[in-house]
Amino acid sequence: MTQRDPSKYGTQVIKPDDFDIFWGELLERSDKIPLNASLTLDSMRSTEQVEVFEVHYDSLNSLRVFGWYCLPRLRPRPLPARVFYPGYISEPTLPKAHAEQGYATFGAAPRGKLRSNRQFNPGYPGLLTHNLVDRQSYAYQGFYLDAIRVIDFLTEQPEVDSERIGIQGSSQGGALTLVAAALRPQVKAASVGAPYLTGVVDAIDLTRTYPYEEINDYLRLHPQNRDAMVKTWNYYDCINFADRIQCPIIVYIGLQDDVCPPETAYPLMDKIQSPEKKLYAYDGHGHDANHHVHDQVVDTFFDNQLKT
Amino acid sequence: MKPEDFSSYWLQLEQELIRVEPAPECTEIPLRSTPEGKVFGLLLTSLGGYRIFAYYCVPHGKGPFPVIYRLPNYGSVVHIPPFEERCNHISIALCHRGQRLSDEPFAASYPGLLTQGIESPQTYIYREIASDCLRVMDFLLTREEVDHRRISLVGGDLAFWTAAMRPQALTLFYTPSMFYKSLQKASTSSHYPLEEFNDYFRAFPKSRKQVETTLEYFEPMNFAPWVSISTMMMEESEGDGDDLAAAFGREIDRCTTYHSSFRDGVRQAQWIADKLKTGEPLLPEHWS
């Protein structure tokens, strides 16, 4: 169906020389902050099979961040875990259904998402361009760190087998999955759908669809800030995290995706270092990336990686 | 089963709404405007004096323009209408009360909104949300730049209710969402948002009868005889919408989702363009 060859597009993303230093210093700052996690049973959302907890933990800049944590009531041994990262406009997942299948599950809600937006709320649209010209205060700095601290939370839980943590998400959830897999080597397996925040400087030329269109809106009003925007994004682009990813990973895309253009997934795949990586490119699909069918592939992938 | 006072329930809402001055306030958002058209933030007063927000996008050039009115899905965020659509339509996207930009003083919980006030049809939050949807339609009908004969509604059950109560629209592209056979579907699902109903019954086991009664006022099958405009219904699977289609008492267009945002999006754009007589639709480059 597709007539373009998105694999030939390439990328304008450049990795800054001090990329590793930048993230090393941020991780050092973040790692010094105790999680101070609190868990509160949500009896209304719990069932006979699954306990649901509201979790809050501390993160960068003294923000308190929320997440849904679900545990099967029957747990004779430490559990494998799955983390669900949210899309840009979607609500955090309350992953009860997967907990029923024998996983400890966590639905992340990084800063700005509902229940994590009391102290930081740039809005939607808004998040993508919040302090866009300053890598030291750009919105995604804290957002990324909130996401990776979920792994830290899980490794602290006695009911979780910290050797068997899988992470997943689509669109922005895919981006957070890539970043967490890169910065937390404890991650055992990762699944990424229609990755967002990947090849951003390419994507804004390839699409007029939101959320990327937020950057085009911004540059129309502030054309003089283009270089600063590109400079910031080189520190946040998932392509530049990819060479740190060592765990088994699957990526699925739609070849007619107008939201996260498929062209941006190929440079990402080239850079991922994991010896076990696979790209599923679905012709005839847009930003859905054929998840209706592919969800089963993801479940099987995690069952194989985490339950055996 | 359709409540005996179904018509009077909704008539009462209309009578309450008509007494509320809409007080429209339209302010350009320069950050979102493009060389092809302007984007405005629209504020309107709805039921209970609640101020609601919508993105109101008007192309440059000489109107009146055909309209695509996008009713919101379940979730806190509403996107600005697609760029391609904004180039040659007036495009409007409502944020109903509780959603971001319409979340003061009431910010909806997700999960939570679906069962808020559900113990009675008079207190159910979706009664007021329905009024928000109607309010925007009424605004459109006051505008000189709008071609009043070419308004298309797009969305789920909120679009369906609006079509039922505002026959001035020309077309409806409808995807049944949470209110079609809601409790029957919830009983076989543990996924949100339908799981909210199951959560509610676990917490309030004696409430089932009350909830069933409330939901009958919002069941699309009970609205179907009121929907007189040209309708396309996109179903989850073949035959899923048979009972709803039968409730129309007339033929409507039907299709089954491809489970592809690309193929479903192209089909929707082409169907609407055909009905609004706007020629080949402008589509995202990756869809061409």
Side-chain angles (χ1 to χ4, degrees):
Chain A
M1 193 174 284
T2 184
Q3 292 176 356
R4 294 164 283 106
D5 183 354
S7 69
K8 300 284 191 286
Y9 189 81
T11 182
Q12 305 166 62
V13 173
I14 295 168
K15 187 168 185 174
D17 290 341
D18 62 345
F19 181 90
D20 290 334
I21 295 170
F22 177 74
W23 282 101
E25 288 174 356
L26 278 170
L27 285 174
E28 200 177 313
R29 266 177 66 197
S30 172
D31 290 347
K32 283 180 184 163
I33 302 167
L35 282 171
N36 292 324
S38 65
L39 286 84
T40 308
L41 181 69
D42 186 333
S43 51
M44 181 161 182
R45 306 292 168 205
S46 297
T47 67
E48 284 182 11
Q49 292 79 36
V50 175
E51 287 180 301
V52 176
F53 296 89
E54 297 184 8
V55 172
H56 290 86
Y57 58 93
D58 288 343
S59 189
L60 199 68
N61 303 326
S62 306
L63 259 77
R64 198 80 176 141
V65 179
F66 173 82
W68 294 107
Y69 184 44
C70 304
L71 291 171
R73 288 187 189 271
L74 277 177
R75 39 182 194 267
R77 292 176 299 281
L79 298 163
R82 280 168 74 172
V83 178
F84 296 79
Y85 289 118
Y88 190 72
I89 65 165
S90 59
E91 307 307 333
T93 306
L94 204 172
K96 259 173 14 186
H98 286 90
E100 288 173 5
Q101 296 162 17
Y103 288 99
T105 59
F106 196 100
R111 61 191 63 196
K113 286 283 178 193
L114 288 189
R115 295 182 171 84
S116 295
N117 60 351
R118 193 168 57 82
Q119 298 155 279
F120 176 79
N121 195 18
Y124 298 89
L127 177 73
L128 187 57
T129 57
H130 184 81
N131 293 346
L132 177 62
V133 295
D134 175 21
R135 68 178 183 276
Q136 299 294 345
S137 58
Y138 184 44
Y140 271 99
Q141 181 181 107
F143 203 88
Y144 280 179
L145 291 168
D146 297 347
I148 67 168
R149 287 171 72 81
V150 172
I151 312 301
D152 305 343
F153 167 81
L154 288 173
T155 56
E156 283 188 1
Q157 304 312 306
E159 63 274 8
V160 169
D161 180 349
S162 58
E163 301 290 311
R164 293 189 292 157
I165 296 175
I167 61 177
Q168 67 187 97
S170 193
S171 194
Q172 179 186 261
L176 297 176
T177 299
L178 291 163
V179 173
L183 298 182
R184 283 293 182 257
Q186 301 94 317
V187 170
K188 179 79 184 299
S191 167
V192 172
Y196 179 54
L197 309 181
T198 295
V200 171
V201 294
D202 308 310
I204 59 174
D205 290 337
L206 286 163
T207 183
R208 300 298 309 268
T209 303
Y210 286 98
Y212 280 133
E213 184 68 358
E214 284 187 36
I215 296 179
N216 288 324
D217 287 346
Y218 176 87
L219 293 177
R220 255 196 316 278
L221 212 59
H222 306 285
Q224 72 282 6
N225 288 349
R226 186 179 177 98
D227 288 349
M229 181 282 289
V230 172
K231 198 171 170 186
T232 296
W233 256 104
N234 283 334
Y235 286 89
Y236 290 89
D237 201 291
C238 289
I239 289 176
N240 288 338
F241 287 96
D243 61 4
R244 291 181 173 213
I245 297 173
Q246 301 286 343
C247 68
I249 184 168
I250 56 173
V251 179
Y252 56 105
I253 60 172
L255 291 178
Q256 284 77 25
D257 189 344
D258 63 310
V259 180
C260 297
E263 288 86 346
T264 59
Y266 290 90
L268 172 79
M269 293 306 295
D270 287 345
K271 288 277 170 63
I272 291 175
Q273 289 298 301
S274 169
E276 287 183 65
K277 62 179 179 180
K278 183 168 183 181
L279 176 69
Y280 297 80
Y282 290 107
D283 201 7
H285 286 271
H287 197 51
D288 60 287
N290 199 24
H291 79 85
H292 182 69
V293 170
H294 191 83
D295 283 353
Q296 187 56 55
V297 176
V298 173
D299 284 343
T300 303
F301 170 74
F302 281 119
D303 284 349
N304 290 338
Q305 295 291 336
L306 304 178
K307 282 189 169 175
T308 54
Chain B
M1 188 183 293
K2 190 172 187 172
E4 284 182 8
D5 64 344
F6 182 84
S7 298
S8 59
Y9 173 82
W10 288 105
L11 183 61
Q12 186 195 344
L13 175 100
E14 294 275 26
Q15 288 169 343
E16 289 175 34
L17 188 59
I18 208 166
R19 288 196 292 270
V20 178
E21 176 66 39
E25 191 179 3
C26 221
T27 307
E28 188 183 350
I29 310 173
L31 178 62
R32 308 297 169 202
S33 291
T34 67
E36 291 79 11
K38 289 185 176 179
V39 176
F40 298 90
L42 169 66
L43 292 170
L44 295 167
T45 305
S46 185
L47 207 64
Y50 199 100
R51 205 79 170 139
I52 55 170
F53 177 90
Y55 291 108
Y56 184 57
C57 313
V58 183
H60 291 309
K62 188 170 160 42
F65 298 100
V67 176
I68 296 179
Y69 172 18
R70 291 184 170 269
L71 284 297
N73 294 322
Y74 192 70
S76 66
V77 180
V78 171
H79 260 319
I80 300 167
F83 165 77
E84 293 79 8
E85 198 171 283
R86 286 188 268 147
C87 290
N88 49 13
H89 300 82
I90 286 178
S91 194
I92 187 162
L94 163 69
C95 306
H96 67 60
R97 68 186 64 200
Q99 294 184 306
R100 285 176 188 261
L101 302 174
S102 296
D103 56 355
E104 290 179 8
F106 167 62
S109 292
Y110 296 93
L113 183 71
L114 194 53
T115 57
Q116 181 145 351
I118 201 169
E119 58 274 12
S120 155
Q122 293 299 331
T123 58
Y124 192 34
I125 188 67
Y126 274 92
R127 179 178 189 271
E128 293 173 332
I129 289 173
S131 78
D132 300 344
C133 302
L134 300 176
R135 184 99 289 188
V136 167
M137 186 67 191
D138 293 340
F139 166 80
L140 290 170
L141 295 171
T142 67
R143 302 296 289 190
E144 283 183 3
E145 68 271 21
V146 164
D147 183 342
H148 297 178
R149 295 162 305 165
R150 291 195 295 167
I151 299 175
S152 185
L153 307 173
V154 178
D157 298 330
L158 305 190
F160 198 78
W161 305 340
T162 306
M165 292 187 274
R166 291 295 180 270
Q168 298 94 328
L170 178 69
T171 70
L172 166 68
F173 195 102
Y174 168 55
T175 307
S177 44
M178 303 166 303
F179 290 94
Y180 173 49
K181 297 184 174 180
S182 49
L183 296 185
Q184 183 184 324
K185 292 190 172 185
S187 69
T188 58
S189 171
S190 59
H191 291 276
Y192 288 93
L194 287 177
E195 176 70 358
E196 288 189 37
F197 292 124
N198 300 326
D199 290 344
Y200 190 86
F201 291 140
R202 270 190 301 275
F204 306 103
K206 293 179 181 168
S207 67
R208 179 171 281 276
K209 185 69 192 160
Q210 287 170 289
V211 170
E212 284 174 359
T213 300
T214 297
L215 289 175
E216 289 296 351
Y217 290 88
F218 298 86
E219 166 58 64
M221 285 193 288
N222 292 334
F223 281 103
W226 290 1
V227 178
S228 57
I229 66 176
S230 178
T231 299
M232 168 66 92
M233 179 165 70
M234 186 167 74
E235 299 163 40
E236 177 67 16
S237 57
E238 202 171 329
D240 183 53
D242 282 353
D243 290 341
L244 180 50
F248 278 82
R250 65 182 175 91
E251 288 296 312
I252 58 164
D253 292 340
R254 298 173 64 183
C255 62
T256 304
T257 176
Y258 295 118
H259 296 289
S260 159
S261 55
F262 153 58
R263 296 178 71 193
D264 287 340
V266 170
R267 176 164 59 189
Q268 181 189 95
Q270 287 177 337
W271 188 86
I272 291 170
D274 181 53
K275 296 296 176 186
L276 295 181
K277 300 194 188 323
T278 48
E280 266 308 298
L282 193 58
L283 297 172
E285 203 174 311
H286 284 82
W287 291 6
S288 308

